[in-house]
Amino acid sequence: MSEEQWSDVDEYLVSLLAPSDESLDEALRESDRAGLPKIAVAPNQGKMLELLAKGRGARRILEIGTLGGYSTIWLARALPPGGVLITLELEPKHADVAEHNLSRAGLSTLVDVRVGPAVESLRELVEEKTESFDFIFIDADKESYPEYFRWAMRLSHSGTMIVADNVVRGGEIINPRSADERVHAVRRFLEIVSAEERVEATAVQTVGSKGYDGFALLLVR
Ligand code: SAH
Ligand code: DHB
Ligand code: MG
């Protein structure tokens, strides 16, 4: 079973179930042109986020890690009129690209891109006493997943769904002696989730155009 086959199957599934459009294509093209890393969610993962958020009836969505706004577009499309998506991004250049992509997609009125270290933005959201979120997507620096989870809990309510991307990392996640600090942080994240009685959770491995990885899915009791 080769990575090439994973990509071919993804192409087949995406063509049938998660077809692209001008806004999504252009978001990726603009991200490439600006030199952003090619690490946006795959189209079928993006569609999964949209369906989960829509199924959850999410009116308020929080995203940690915007990049060029590709996953943001999928998520914002789950919102009803008057819905809100707040997305947090460290790099001003990434946030700029995302703002343009969201504007082109006609989603600017629903989305608020906040620039700076996500932990600072999360602290501000709590200090502002912002209304809690119905759906939270964690996808920024993996080193901070344990901290992002703690803030996500403070910004959640009963029934909030939380998705955390990249929790398998080519299988490296089962190596307790990994040289990769990100792996240790994601392992700590999973252990904290496992011990957290306020959430029910699972994690699923994935293969496809982005290689071998996986995501965690949490539901706040
Ligand atoms: N969700 C995007 C991909 C995000 S990639 C998509 O699927 O389309 C991770 C992003 O997190 C990058 O843009 C990176 O700049 C940002 N990031 C890294 N460290 C961060 C931090 N401390 N605070 C906020 N964003 C951060
Ligand atoms: C990386 C980050 C991601 O969010 C992702 O989906 C894939 C790779 C990375 O930093 O390598
Ligand atoms: Mg990711």
Side-chain angles (χ1 to χ4, degrees):
M1 191 79 68
S2 65
E3 296 230 3
E4 192 188 333
Q5 184 170 20
W6 300 347
S7 286
D8 290 347
V9 172
D10 250 5
E11 214 170 283
Y12 169 74
L13 297 175
V14 165
S15 70
L16 285 174
L17 302 174
S20 198
D21 56 43
E22 205 40 45
S23 301
L24 290 164
D25 283 345
E26 199 53 31
L28 291 179
R29 275 199 294 270
E30 278 301 320
S31 301
D32 276 356
R33 249 177 246 136
L36 272 49
K38 288 176 179 287
I39 54 176
V41 292
N44 41 350
Q45 290 175 293
K47 180 77 177 278
M48 182 188 79
L49 293 172
E50 177 183 351
L51 294 180
L52 287 172
K54 207 181 267 176
R56 176 63 198 75
R59 302 184 60 85
R60 290 181 52 82
I61 298 176
L62 173 66
E63 176 178 66
I64 308 176
T66 315
L67 193 64
Y70 182 76
S71 55
T72 321
I73 292 175
W74 285 106
L75 281 168
R77 287 177 173 176
L79 287 170
V84 171
L85 191 160
I86 298 178
T87 183
L88 313 181
E89 174 54 53
L90 174 66
E91 301 291 341
K93 184 171 109 174
H94 297 187
D96 265 9
V97 173
E99 300 262 23
H100 277 103
N101 287 334
L102 289 159
S103 165
R104 199 184 306 97
L107 296 165
S108 290
T109 55
L110 300 175
V111 181
D112 178 7
V113 183
R114 298 202 179 186
V115 185
V119 167
E120 297 304 315
S121 302
L122 289 162
R123 183 174 294 119
E124 279 164 25
L125 286 171
V126 168
E127 279 167 4
E128 284 168 17
K129 298 195 171 28
T130 193
E131 209 182 308
S132 55
F133 295 91
D134 310 306
F135 190 95
I136 302 178
F137 180 45
I138 302 177
D139 193 25
D141 54 310
K142 314 308 159 194
E143 292 85 346
S144 303
Y145 271 31
E147 202 168 356
Y148 294 152
F149 174 62
R150 286 186 208 106
W151 286 105
M153 288 304 294
R154 294 187 66 175
L155 291 162
S156 293
H157 55 72
S158 174
T160 296
M161 183 172 280
I162 303 174
V163 174
D165 197 22
N166 312 117
V167 301
V168 173
R169 314 291 305 193
E172 184 66 6
I173 197 68
I174 59 169
N175 180 5
R177 277 168 296 282
S178 176
D180 187 343
E181 185 45 46
R182 295 172 302 181
V183 166
H184 293 285
V186 172
R187 286 171 62 87
R188 277 198 305 283
F189 162 74
L190 292 170
E191 284 156 21
I192 292 166
V193 168
S194 157
E196 175 54 76
E197 290 184 352
R198 292 174 296 170
V199 299
E200 299 176 82
T202 188
V204 174
Q205 304 182 71
T206 55
V207 295
S209 55
K210 288 193 68 183
Y212 169 34
D213 211 323
F215 61 90
L217 179 66
L218 288 55
L219 188 61
V220 178
R221 287 187 205 276

